Amino acid sequence: MKKLLTLLTLLPLTLLAHINIAVSYPYIGALTKTIGGEHITTTVLAKGNWDPHFIVPRPSLIAKVRNADALIMNGAQLEIGWLPPLINRAGNPKTSPSATTFLNLSHHVELINKPSEVNRKDGDIHPDGNPHFHLDPKNILLLAKTIREFLISIDAEHRDVYEKNYNDFFEMWNQKMSEWNQKMSEKKGLKVIQFHDNLAYFNQAYGLSNIGTIEPLPGIPPSSRHTIEIINLIQQQNPCCILHDVYHSTKTAEFISQKTGIKVVLMPHDIESLENINDLASLFDYLTSAIK
Amino acid sequence: MKKILLPSVLCTALVYGADILPPEKRTFDQSKFIPDISLIMDASYVDRNVKDAEVGHLEVPGVVHGLLGSHSHGDDNHATYNAENGFNLNYAELVLSSSVDPFFTMDGIFHFSENGVEIEELFFTSNALGHGTKVKGGKFNSNFGYLNEQHHHAWDFADMPLVYEAFLGMHGINEVGAQIQWTAPTPFYLMAGFEILQGENEQMFGKDTIDLTVINAAANPEVAEGDDGASLYVGYIKASHDVGNTTLLGGISYAQGESRINHSTDDEGPHVFSGDAKLYGADLVILHALDSYSSIKLQTEFLSRELDGIQYANDTLGNFISPTMVKKQNGLYSQLIYTHDKNWRMGVRYDTIMQNDVEKDGVMIEQPDGLDKYTAMIEYHTSEFARFRVQYSQDYSMFNEDGQREKINTIILQANISIGAHAAHSF
């Protein structure tokens, strides 16, 4: 009986001890959970196998934002098309961009490909630079550190836990990075084609060079004229392969592959975007062994 | 000469002075505080089998007249969207929005048309209250039902569903007032909202005092007595649930207010209605996402209204009469939209007014059946910011002044283009 009573009094306390953090994408969820450990729960808003630019703003996501104690987003306008109305409708001051419980990760890494001129005639560009920065494994460490500081700032009581979890992760990740560096060293200098330049940071990290995209401009679907240009480009420059995301149709890529003989390689962009990719390490394990 | 020289030197100095400094060095530069701005244009080419002069005189019997085309009330010129055969510039919508301070945001939505400027919406919103509570004040689209809150450019068809336009007019419930909404702390979406509005809808709600002597100099009473203050109350509950990649959103809504429908200055058969109005709504949206860009969406809304009051008019001999009048009417629309990819969308819609009971002095007045409309559309998007649509509709709901049904076939070619800030869409 006594045990039951203690359990009952402890129950609400343990519930309170959990900080419920809403995050926009699965990779942020995994990283936050790694650093936060048992003291936090994460609620991921977007699905990993969907285009991160286009997430259906389902009303259930409003409920998730409404019930969150904090919100971590990717930023750099990746969520611009779907997250603002969810935040507006949730009526939760803790997830307001001005709140101390709100974290925009893009403010803590260096963005590349920032356009010198911002004009929609160049397609649906990201004025702050390429937002897919988490695909450079070095940035993952920066993000982990940012999340550690964020968690400490909202829950100083568990500072030790967050620091320890970060240190463990740091060690594991460094080990993994040298493994990946080794695997990718022979790929350095390879030319690649993509659908959309979402591997810009990955390519930079491992010295791959992107020579063209199947979409003529960011966010503009393939056209036959541009496809012919890409085929000519491939014949001139001999890239190794077409690195393709999992959410666009591979129809055009398959056509180009048929015409030129180069391979189409599916490249997952996030956790759960392909089967068996359940954590950050397996995401990069896959990416670094995808190009044969 | 000197007098001219001095100002011109000063002007040159000012112009150059402004140009010399780069923006980041202008001490008092406030350009970073410019709100998000977007401009949306909507234009169409219309081919309708009924002449423009005639279409404004058609009516949905027992429900509304003058629904289509353009018509004037004195100095006031009204036109619905796509009013005329040939080219129409429906509107330029200017949207400005920004945070006011840490506690509020403000949004302004202005419709510029060739008839002038209308404040479509202008409101402040507070999210700072917490506990899932959101408060809004100003002029805004009520959250009654599903479609009412959306602007024209977010609709899946170039025109409003028949039941909405017939009961509430082309702006729906668009009023000055206050709104409070509360999202429940449940794992699924559950939201309840309440609004107090001024109540000035031309077709359904109103509270003005109306001079009846305009209808007939011998009118008794001389005026239909009005009411001061806010007179329209709206409440709703919405809930949503996900099943895999399928999202269901359902809601029930209720609106109640004073009703004054003023047609005292009409050339033919001037009349005024004064009484109370109630509006019930039920809506259901089912969206099945096939992938990031492709989906199937079923959207259906049922509206039912009750008007209870007195009609003031002249009888066939020109004598002033004031019978009691009760209208019980309902209708629905149901639409299915298939989004193929980022470029192509297509859809069909069925509209109908089902119940149409009009009772004068306790005597039921027979109304025609089969008030239906069928619409199909196909859209091409060059990007998220530009949409071109072809829409074809067959409308069986309109009758001419002789009480004859006029089947209206309409083809609308619509262009909807936007520039500026990225407008994120709600569900």
Side-chain angles (χ1 to χ4, degrees):
Chain A
M1 187 62 203
K2 223 178 179 182
K3 257 187 185 167
L4 192 74
L5 267 177
T6 13
L7 209 71
L8 275 177
T9 43
L10 277 175
L11 195 67
L13 282 175
T14 49
L15 279 178
L16 278 177
H18 270 80
I19 305 170
N20 175 16
I21 302 179
V23 304
S24 51
Y25 300 109
Y27 88 86
I28 305 174
L31 204 49
T32 308
K33 189 67 195 160
T34 303
I35 310 299
E38 59 183 9
H39 295 291
I40 61 144
T41 52
T42 52
T43 307
V44 180
L45 301 176
K47 285 194 174 191
N49 58 342
W50 283 18
D51 185 340
H53 305 80
F54 296 91
I55 304 299
V56 180
R58 314 165 131 196
S60 61
L61 303 185
I62 299 172
K64 285 177 178 167
V65 175
R66 186 254 184 259
N67 296 329
D69 299 312
L71 192 141
I72 306 180
M73 70 180 240
N74 183 87
Q77 303 225 334
L78 192 55
E79 291 101 340
I80 194 85
W82 60 276
L83 190 56
L86 300 179
I87 294 173
N88 288 342
R89 285 178 178 241
N92 182 357
K94 290 183 204 158
T95 58
S96 145
S98 59
T100 51
T101 45
F102 183 95
L103 177 61
N104 180 342
L105 292 174
S106 69
H107 291 167
H108 301 269
V109 287
E110 200 155 322
L111 302 188
I112 60 174
N113 302 347
K114 190 180 155 110
S116 52
E117 186 201 14
V118 176
N119 192 324
R120 289 230 175 91
K121 75 175 166 50
D122 303 324
D124 202 359
I125 49 170
H126 296 288
D128 302 330
N130 190 311
H132 310 287
F133 47 76
H134 72 282
L135 292 175
D136 179 346
K138 288 192 292 298
N139 280 344
I140 292 289
L141 279 185
L142 284 178
L143 299 175
K145 199 172 162 188
T146 305
I147 290 170
R148 179 193 72 187
E149 294 309 310
F150 177 68
L151 292 180
I152 291 170
S153 77
I154 60 176
D155 180 32
E157 204 187 315
H158 297 110
R159 169 188 280 270
D160 298 349
V161 180
Y162 302 141
E163 277 174 351
K164 183 184 179 303
N165 289 346
Y166 170 76
N167 292 337
D168 291 351
F169 179 75
F170 182 82
E171 211 167 296
M172 180 277 275
W173 199 254
N174 272 316
Q175 213 172 337
K176 275 284 183 189
M177 279 208 293
S178 52
E179 201 181 295
W180 297 325
N181 279 333
Q182 208 166 4
K183 266 206 284 186
M184 290 299 289
S185 60
E186 56 193 86
K187 309 282 186 248
K188 205 167 179 181
L190 279 185
K191 291 174 182 168
V192 300
I193 299 278
Q194 289 183 80
F195 187 93
H196 175 84
D197 192 12
N198 55 359
L199 289 169
Y201 293 84
F202 181 82
N203 292 342
Q204 184 186 251
Y206 295 113
L208 306 178
S209 85
N210 180 62
I211 57 166
T213 56
I214 293 175
E215 55 176 15
L217 291 166
I220 306 291
S223 64
S224 45
R225 192 205 296 173
H226 182 70
T227 302
I228 291 166
E229 283 170 13
I230 287 289
I231 289 171
N232 290 337
L233 188 75
I234 291 170
Q235 280 158 353
Q236 283 161 21
Q237 301 210 22
N238 289 318
C240 75
C241 41
I242 299 171
L243 302 183
H244 208 289
D245 59 63
V246 302
Y247 42 84
H248 283 105
S249 157
T250 54
K251 211 174 77 186
T252 314
E254 300 288 353
F255 174 78
I256 296 171
S257 165
Q258 250 174 38
K259 294 278 165 200
T260 58
I262 71 167
K263 285 171 297 188
V264 180
V265 181
L266 268 193
M267 296 292 266
H269 65 289
D270 204 338
I271 294 164
E272 287 159 21
S273 60
L274 286 178
E275 257 178 79
N276 301 328
I277 296 181
N278 309 316
D279 55 32
L280 281 164
S282 60
L283 174 66
F284 284 94
D285 280 341
Y286 189 102
L287 288 171
T288 51
S289 40
I291 306 168
K292 297 279 170 7
Chain B
M1 186 61 201
K2 243 185 188 171
K3 266 183 190 167
I4 302 167
L5 202 69
L6 191 66
S8 55
V9 166
L10 270 175
C11 280
T12 329
L14 278 172
V15 169
Y16 276 91
D19 259 349
I20 289 162
L21 283 174
E24 61 275 13
K25 290 204 174 151
R26 287 176 210 153
T27 314
F28 298 111
D29 179 51
Q30 300 217 29
S31 60
K32 289 262 160 67
F33 289 110
I34 288 178
D36 288 345
I37 302 172
S38 59
L39 183 69
I40 302 162
M41 74 168 275
D42 191 89
S44 63
Y45 183 87
V46 175
D47 185 7
R48 195 179 276 127
N49 68 335
V50 179
K51 287 208 160 12
D52 290 344
E54 208 182 321
V55 80
H57 296 282
L58 299 180
E59 63 170 353
V60 182
V63 185
V64 65
H65 57 82
L67 196 60
L68 300 172
S70 50
H71 48 275
S72 47
H73 294 291
D75 299 335
D76 211 8
N77 217 332
H78 283 264
T80 53
Y81 302 130
N82 314 309
E84 288 177 24
N85 271 307
F87 289 104
N88 292 272
L89 184 62
N90 289 324
Y91 56 80
E93 183 177 299
L94 179 68
V95 184
L96 302 174
S97 68
S98 178
S99 301
V100 175
D101 60 20
F103 313 104
F104 291 106
T105 57
M106 187 164 97
D107 295 81
I109 294 141
F110 306 93
H111 265 199
F112 292 76
S113 74
E114 287 167 316
N115 297 326
V117 185
E118 264 182 86
I119 299 177
E120 189 78 358
E121 294 197 89
L122 181 63
F123 58 84
F124 63 88
T125 313
S126 174
N127 286 316
L129 301 168
H131 309 287
T133 311
K134 192 177 87 149
V135 174
K136 207 184 223 189
K139 186 179 182 188
F140 53 87
N141 285 349
S142 166
N143 222 167
F144 183 99
Y146 179 74
L147 187 91
N148 194 82
E149 198 200 16
Q150 296 179 354
H151 289 130
H152 176 260
H153 56 86
W155 300 349
D156 292 315
F157 293 88
D159 54 358
M160 211 178 198
L162 176 66
V163 65
Y164 258 102
E165 197 163 8
F167 287 2
L168 296 164
M170 63 186 262
H171 295 293
I173 305 177
N174 174 257
E175 297 273 351
V176 185
Q179 176 193 71
I180 182 160
Q181 292 188 338
W182 177 68
T183 306
T186 44
F188 60 94
Y189 177 70
L190 178 66
M191 188 272 273
F194 180 69
E195 296 165 5
I196 303 178
L197 307 168
Q198 191 69 356
E200 292 174 328
N201 186 287
E202 218 174 88
Q203 268 161 245
M204 179 129 177
F205 301 105
K207 57 193 181 52
D208 289 346
T209 298
I210 301 168
D211 183 1
L212 299 174
T213 57
V214 177
I215 300 176
N216 191 322
N220 181 27
E222 286 181 356
V223 292
E225 206 53 67
D227 210 3
D228 281 350
S231 70
L232 175 58
Y233 301 90
V234 180
Y236 39 81
I237 293 176
K238 296 167 201 285
S240 175
H241 182 64
D242 293 337
V243 185
N245 285 333
T246 308
T247 299
L248 287 92
L249 171 67
I252 48 167
S253 309
Y254 177 65
Q256 180 185 329
E258 298 269 318
S259 179
R260 301 283 182 279
I261 302 169
N262 187 355
H263 287 283
S264 60
T265 55
D266 283 15
D267 296 336
E268 295 153 42
H271 60 274
V272 164
F273 174 81
S274 169
D276 299 314
K278 291 172 185 163
L279 182 68
Y280 305 84
D283 54 275
L284 177 68
V285 177
I286 303 172
L287 180 119
H288 178 69
L290 299 162
D291 59 38
S292 287
Y293 319 107
S294 176
S295 63
I296 301 169
K297 186 183 188 186
L298 175 76
Q299 175 183 333
T300 185
E301 284 191 73
F302 171 79
L303 295 186
S304 174
R305 73 169 180 179
E306 275 177 47
L307 300 174
D308 190 345
I310 297 170
Q311 189 186 44
Y312 302 99
N314 295 322
D315 64 11
T316 44
L317 301 171
N319 297 317
F320 184 74
I321 52 169
S322 53
T324 62
M325 185 165 207
V326 179
K327 287 186 179 186
K328 287 185 182 165
Q329 296 162 325
N330 66 40
L332 64 79
Y333 76 92
S334 213
Q335 64 186 46
L336 188 68
I337 308 290
Y338 170 61
T339 306
H340 180 68
D341 55 20
K342 283 205 258 183
N343 294 134
W344 292 99
R345 294 174 85 231
M346 54 211 78
V348 288
R349 180 180 67 190
Y350 168 65
D351 282 294
T352 186
I353 305 281
M354 293 180 296
Q355 188 189 22
N356 190 5
D357 294 345
V358 180
E359 226 179 75
K360 251 188 212 181
D361 271 341
V363 181
M364 190 76 84
I365 300 167
E366 192 72 25
Q367 301 294 342
D369 289 332
L371 303 177
D372 299 326
K373 184 178 170 185
Y374 305 89
T375 315
M377 71 87 187
I378 184 159
E379 278 174 12
Y380 183 77
H381 299 237
T382 57
S383 70
E384 275 184 273
F385 308 97
R387 174 176 61 203
F388 300 90
R389 178 189 281 151
V390 184
Q391 173 177 322
Y392 174 71
S393 63
Q394 283 190 353
D395 188 348
Y396 296 88
S397 68
M398 305 296 276
F399 286 69
N400 64 21
E401 279 151 338
D402 303 325
Q404 297 296 313
R405 191 189 304 264
E406 288 251 13
K407 180 184 158 194
I408 306 175
N409 297 327
T410 313
I411 296 171
I412 299 175
L413 306 176
Q414 183 194 1
N416 191 283
I417 319 279
S418 69
I419 52 171
H422 195 299
H425 286 290
S426 315
F427 187 83

